[in-house]
Amino acid sequence: MKPCRVAVIGAGMAAARLAQQLHAHAGHTETVLYGAERQVPYNRALLTDVLTGRHRADALALPTGDARVRTGTEVVAVDTRRRALTLADGSSETYDDLVLATGAEPVLPPLRGLADAEGGVHVLRSLDDCTRLDRDADSAGRAVVIGGGVLGVSVAHALAARGLRVEIVHQGPHLVERHLDRQAGAALRTALGRLGVSVHLGERAPALDQGLGVTLTGGDRLDADLVVLACGVRPRTGLARAAGLPVRRGVVVDDTLACAPHTYAIGDCAEHRAAPCGLATTAWEQADVLADRLSGADPGARYTGSRPMSRLTAGAVEYAAFGACGDAAEEGADVLRIGDATRGAYKKLVLRGDRIVGAILVGDLTTVGSLTRAYLTGRSVGPDPLSLLTVPPRALSARVVEESRT
């Protein structure tokens, strides 16, 4: 029997996971990954660890099973009727099933003067971006990071660890507001402050000055040798839109991850009704379901959504957040908080009945494993939920405990 030819546009983390799982299922498939980057698939989540020297760039490669990986090969057009791809060199390739894993691209803020900047302004999305930032950081003394989300905090930590004086400009009310509450954001800010990182909240940077300074909305000017733009990402959907596939924010997929017959999308480029965007766990779970379907291991497999989970581990700057933790989640729930000002730690547990629906840990991830297991399995926390947040009692002397019912 002729094997099913699976073409994957993109060679990032979602594509690598799909290829690996298709190989593990030993299905009757031939998988080809088309990647525009020069590198084989790698773990994009570890790029800031390359900046700090914790990992070498060549140590980030991901397994892809028996897939053929065509690096430096950009797909410029898709014809879903003929099931054909057009490559940048003008050649054409056919397929039986197509998977869009085109990922996302950095959002560039409306920064006046950005178009005229000749150097020193960076994004961090690829290994090539990382190489350029690493080179410029060697000769820099001051850096401004625009954006205080997960990536912005991680980059700020990495540059501070290299000895740069770093300032974060963030228009949100607190750091990482998509995943953390106000108290957790404040604890993260304290941890960064101990590394010499300054944070400007509720501020935007509308202009990039000559000499690479940044002017804030309030009129203050921040001098810098390099500027890093960490303002989020948007799904890369140009190919899908041009091919007539359904696109809103991302490529719209159903529970089979299909957007058209024999055409699927996974990872950051996909928009599913219940999937949190921009998380590696979401991409991997989608890849696992699609591999089950395409390999024949489980043709009826369906993706119904992922549970939101976010984690950052960067030396003294670390947090974990999962589930529903915002103000809306607290309504009608039991909320348990522990703060340790001496250690810059903060913990929060949101309970409905005896089940965990959300949690945040900042600065002390000792109990993250037991909390995550309880959350994912939905098991009862028992009569003493506080024990899930704490280490043995002898370490609790400096902690202030607040219990509230809202």
Side-chain angles (χ1 to χ4, degrees), residues 51-52 137-138 140-143 156-166 195-196:
L51 288 178
T52 62
D138 278 342
R142 302 185 60 160
H157 166 266
L159 295 176
R162 294 176 64 137
L164 277 72
R165 182 176 176 182
V166 183
L195 299 175

Side-chain angles (χ1 to χ4, degrees), residues 47-55 154 157-159 161-162:
L47 287 176
T48 53
D49 286 339
V50 174
L51 288 178
T52 62
R54 183 179 179 186
H55 292 299
S154 186
H157 166 266
L159 295 176
R162 294 176 64 137

Side-chain angles (χ1 to χ4, degrees), residues 73 316 383 403:
T73 305
E403 293 187 52

